[in-house]
Amino acid sequence: MDSPETQATSIGEYGVIGDMETLALVGPSASIDWLCWPRFDSPSIFGRLLDPDGGHWSISPIESERRDRQLYLPDTNVLITRHQTDDGLVEIEDLMNIGDPCRGIIRRITGIRGTTSMRSEMQICPDYGRADATFEIDDCGVRVSFEGHTLWATSSLELELDGQLIVKSFDVSEGESIYFALGPAGAELCEASLSESTARYWRDWIARSTYKGRWRETVHRSALALKLLTHEKSGGLIAAGTTSIPEALGGERNWDYRYVWIRDAAFTLYAFIELGFTAEADAFTEWLGRRLETCRDDAENGPLSPLYDLDGNTALTEIELDHWSGYRDSAPVRIGNAASDQLQLDTYGELLDAMYLADKHGAGLSLDTWEQLRTLVDWVCANWTRPDDGMWEVRSGRQRFTSSALMTWVAIERGIRMATSRGRPADLERWRTTRDAIHQAILDEGWSKELGAFTQTFDGDTLDASILLMPLVKFLSATDPKWKSTLAAIGESLAHGVLVDRYDNSLSDDGLAGDDGSFSICSFWYVENIARTGCAIEARVLFEKMLTYAGPLGLFSEVISPNGDQLGNYPQAFTHLSLISAAVHLDLELDR
């Protein structure tokens, strides 16, 4: 079933198509190797990304000698794979149609030159390969039933069954187009008008961007990637489209990111606001409002979970799929995420910052929402001194992380702004007193004279790239001497050119074996900080070097490995939103 090419494909080489309910990863040879149905957080039906027998849908020339190239149609999430063989030139156009009732994947194969012999092979493996599907040929194509769902595999040709495979071999000649589709709507998907309307949808959406800076194509590709991670029906924003793509090959740092992290989604909202996408910001604000209505009664872990599924549930039990070998044999494959049971104090800062921006740029928060936020700020005032599991979700035990204290300061500071700007009721005296106490504690306990830098933990002696948020959240000026010294220390100890590690694994025990690479979000934070210090030319060079680590389609995962490959879940919202923020602020500094 599998090919050496599939297992050799780097995660950063995959294209992504989606419909804001789920997404699919399409390899450079036009094999769909990842699709969860019917939602991002549903079990997979194509999972060859994580196991050779996990299911796939390949369409490729029968001739093995060929050259493949992929690109997106400009300003869309419509993916083109171009196969060049000795016999001819063929293009495969892949997209997911937007909206009910005609949801599904549409694949149009067009002959450009000559005549090429092709084969389509679909292997559906429901529930991460743990369940069976039934197949029946009918007038609409092949009806596939599994786990209470029914899909139709359809084509402008007559499909065939070969055991558990849906197959078709065919020739495509110059000027000829052949359609294949998979979805709940049957043959209705095999319509040229759906391809055209989907491309038009994406062009109309990105045309709303207000970004006019130097890196328009790059920023817009990041915005289109973030849109693919948006769940249209709920307003939730997932952290990434995959699970268990490792942060280091052969290690245990394999996590499920198909959920809504308050932290990641709040930063994404900020990116959408910067680009003028107010509808997405409003939808996520409503999603956050619903979470505020159902805060948990959990004295140990706090009223908010760090992450939720799209419906707002927090029961995300973490289990390992022992029957799957993992991406490039990097087991374990995990579904669920135990971080949902952690205490992450920084979450409250990101939440309040997001709600502050929504309040500032939108119509204003409701009285009920303000009451819920006020309760959260009061909780932060009472609990900010507690050790927590930190922004990086370490599994080595709770500590007093400096970045956690920083974001509790943000939570209270933004609460004060929202209260005073609109005359809302609040215990301002307590809030201001606590805010100032946190500020002083960070200066007294989070600063190391020996390192000349703010540290990972209170009274610690190691560095952490999460401290790069300090000027970005306006805790201090980027030109403050303490900050310039900290930035220099991070550059010397954690940066490899523009690639920035979260922390030094040899010095910081995070409870996990092995090392990881450089986190791309830290690299873009680093670039933005250098720009804010007034070194815009240096920052531009670093920014453009960082862009060269993107995959061939301009997409980023979470991590750049020590040998320069992309690793970690994909596409990664955190990376793309930090790219947008760095570009926007670098433009401002260069314009000055």
Side-chain angles (χ1 to χ4, degrees):
M1 302 292 181
D2 192 43
S3 67
E5 177 184 342
T6 300
Q7 283 294 289
T9 300
S10 167
I11 187 64
E13 295 180 63
Y14 276 91
V16 186
I17 58 174
D19 64 355
M20 286 87 71
E21 292 190 56
T22 189
L23 56 74
L25 267 61
V26 186
S29 65
S31 176
I32 298 178
D33 293 336
W34 182 253
L35 172 66
C36 298
W37 191 270
R39 306 196 317 182
F40 301 110
D41 53 358
S42 300
S44 67
I45 61 173
F46 299 143
R48 187 161 68 171
L49 181 71
L50 298 178
D51 188 85
D53 295 321
H56 68 281
W57 182 7
S58 60
I59 300 179
S60 62
I62 294 174
E63 181 183 333
S64 59
E65 292 296 325
R66 66 176 193 266
R67 298 179 301 281
D68 301 329
R69 183 190 174 200
Q70 277 188 320
L71 63 148
Y72 280 109
L73 286 182
D75 293 335
T76 77
N77 281 314
V78 177
L79 185 66
I80 302 293
T81 305
R82 190 170 290 152
H83 294 304
Q84 299 168 274
T85 72
D86 292 338
D87 296 326
L89 176 63
V90 177
E91 286 187 351
I92 300 177
E93 180 182 273
D94 283 324
L95 58 94
M96 293 189 73
N97 186 52
I98 306 297
D100 294 328
C102 293
R103 284 190 67 201
I105 296 174
I106 301 173
R107 313 194 76 180
R108 178 166 64 182
I109 298 89
T110 302
I112 307 301
R113 295 288 297 270
T115 298
T116 306
S117 296
M118 307 282 291
R119 177 177 170 85
S120 172
E121 179 179 287
M122 183 188 302
Q123 178 194 27
I124 293 179
C125 299
D127 191 23
Y128 310 107
R130 297 179 298 185
D132 294 323
T134 60
F135 303 86
E136 182 181 354
I137 296 178
D138 62 18
D139 293 340
C140 295
V142 179
R143 183 170 59 201
V144 186
S145 302
F146 60 93
E147 303 280 286
H149 299 287
T150 299
L151 296 175
W152 273 267
T154 58
S155 175
S156 53
L157 304 174
E158 187 173 342
L159 296 174
E160 302 167 4
L161 281 176
D162 180 6
Q164 297 294 297
L165 297 176
I166 302 170
V167 300
K168 186 64 180 179
S169 296
F170 58 97
D171 291 340
V172 59
S173 300
E174 182 173 335
E176 183 182 10
S177 288
I178 295 171
Y179 284 85
F180 291 83
L182 179 67
E188 297 174 16
L189 279 172
C190 291
E191 297 286 344
S193 61
L194 293 182
S195 298
E196 295 161 1
S197 65
T198 298
R200 185 167 57 251
Y201 170 87
W202 290 116
R203 291 190 183 103
D204 290 346
W205 182 79
I206 200 64
R208 291 163 37 205
S209 168
T210 57
Y211 179 77
K212 308 297 181 186
R214 294 165 175 80
W215 297 279
R216 182 180 179 276
E217 184 176 348
T218 298
V219 167
H220 283 180
R221 179 51 55 199
S222 289
L224 286 161
L226 292 177
K227 183 63 172 173
L228 283 175
L229 299 173
T230 302
H231 188 242
E232 191 80 2
K233 291 185 175 179
S234 70
L237 303 167
I238 64 169
T242 60
T243 179
S244 301
I245 306 300
E247 295 169 9
L249 291 176
E252 60 177 330
R253 301 169 186 270
N254 306 350
W255 316 114
D256 191 347
Y257 275 15
R258 299 169 299 149
Y259 304 111
V260 185
W261 265 258
I262 296 292
R263 174 190 310 109
D264 303 48
F267 282 127
T268 303
L269 180 144
Y270 178 67
F272 276 142
I273 288 175
E274 282 195 309
L275 300 182
F277 294 113
T278 55
E280 286 71 21
D282 290 343
F284 179 61
T285 301
E286 292 180 11
W287 187 92
L288 281 177
R290 293 192 294 274
R291 304 294 77 76
L292 293 174
E293 293 170 1
T294 57
C295 285
R296 61 190 183 185
D297 183 14
D298 187 337
E300 175 68 17
N301 298 315
L304 287 179
S305 173
L307 65 148
Y308 298 82
D309 72 9
L310 294 166
D311 298 319
N313 300 311
T314 60
L316 307 178
T317 304
E318 185 175 294
I319 64 174
E320 295 184 4
L321 302 181
D322 295 332
H323 65 291
W324 271 9
S325 58
Y327 174 83
R328 297 193 182 182
D329 293 323
S330 290
V333 174
R334 292 188 175 99
I335 56 175
N337 200 305
S340 58
D341 292 326
Q342 288 188 342
L343 172 64
Q344 297 178 21
L345 290 173
D346 71 284
T347 294
Y348 298 90
E350 285 104 19
L351 171 71
L352 266 294
D353 198 29
M355 299 305 274
Y356 163 72
L357 290 170
D359 190 43
K360 179 180 179 181
H361 296 282
L365 303 178
S366 69
L367 292 174
D368 288 342
T369 299
W370 173 248
E371 284 301 310
Q372 293 152 356
L373 291 177
R374 186 170 71 166
T375 300
L376 286 184
V377 177
D378 286 336
W379 184 89
V380 171
C381 286
N383 289 273
W384 72 271
T385 59
R386 293 175 57 186
D388 76 331
D389 298 294
M391 176 178 291
W392 304 125
E393 303 179 344
V394 300
R395 303 198 175 194
S396 55
R398 294 177 177 177
Q399 302 182 65
R400 294 292 307 282
F401 289 100
T402 304
S403 58
S404 295
L406 169 69
M407 297 311 292
T408 60
W409 176 89
V410 170
I412 299 170
E413 199 276 339
R414 301 307 190 261
I416 293 170
R417 289 194 191 197
M418 283 190 281
T420 55
S421 65
R422 296 184 185 261
R424 294 178 172 124
D427 190 351
L428 288 173
E429 182 177 355
R430 181 192 186 198
W431 290 9
R432 288 179 175 130
T433 299
T434 308
R435 177 199 62 187
D436 295 347
I438 297 172
H439 196 286
Q440 193 61 49
I442 292 172
L443 295 180
D444 292 343
E445 301 175 69
W447 172 261
S448 167
K449 291 182 179 179
E450 290 74 17
L451 293 177
F454 291 100
T455 54
Q456 181 181 55
T457 59
F458 276 12
D459 296 322
D461 57 4
T462 58
L463 298 169
D464 191 306
S466 62
I467 297 301
L468 290 167
L469 284 170
M470 275 188 171
L472 278 56
V473 298
K474 298 179 171 57
F475 179 82
L476 45 60
S477 166
T479 58
D480 186 284
K482 283 183 181 291
W483 179 249
K484 294 178 79 171
S485 175
T486 299
L487 186 59
I490 289 174
E492 182 177 342
S493 299
L494 299 181
H496 314 274
V498 72
L499 301 178
V500 180
D501 299 342
R502 293 183 298 176
Y503 42 79
D504 186 335
N505 291 88
S506 67
L507 301 176
S508 300
D509 177 18
D510 58 13
L512 297 166
D515 203 346
D516 51 23
S518 301
F519 273 58
S520 295
I521 187 172
C522 300
S523 296
F524 286 117
W525 284 345
Y526 184 62
V527 168
E528 184 171 340
N529 270 282
I530 290 174
R532 287 172 180 256
T533 62
C535 301
I537 302 302
E538 177 188 353
R540 177 174 188 165
V541 171
L542 290 172
F543 179 72
E544 292 180 339
K545 282 186 178 179
M546 187 61 198
L547 297 183
T548 66
Y549 287 97
L553 293 166
L555 299 177
F556 279 95
S557 63
E558 184 178 33
V559 174
I560 305 297
S561 72
N563 68 2
D565 285 341
Q566 292 204 50
L567 285 174
N569 286 305
Y570 180 87
Q572 179 78 201
F574 235 171
T575 304
H576 285 284
L577 64 90
S578 61
L579 182 159
I580 291 170
S581 181
V584 168
H585 286 89
L586 186 50
D587 276 320
L588 291 174
E589 295 298 332
L590 289 168
D591 288 344
R592 287 180 184 148

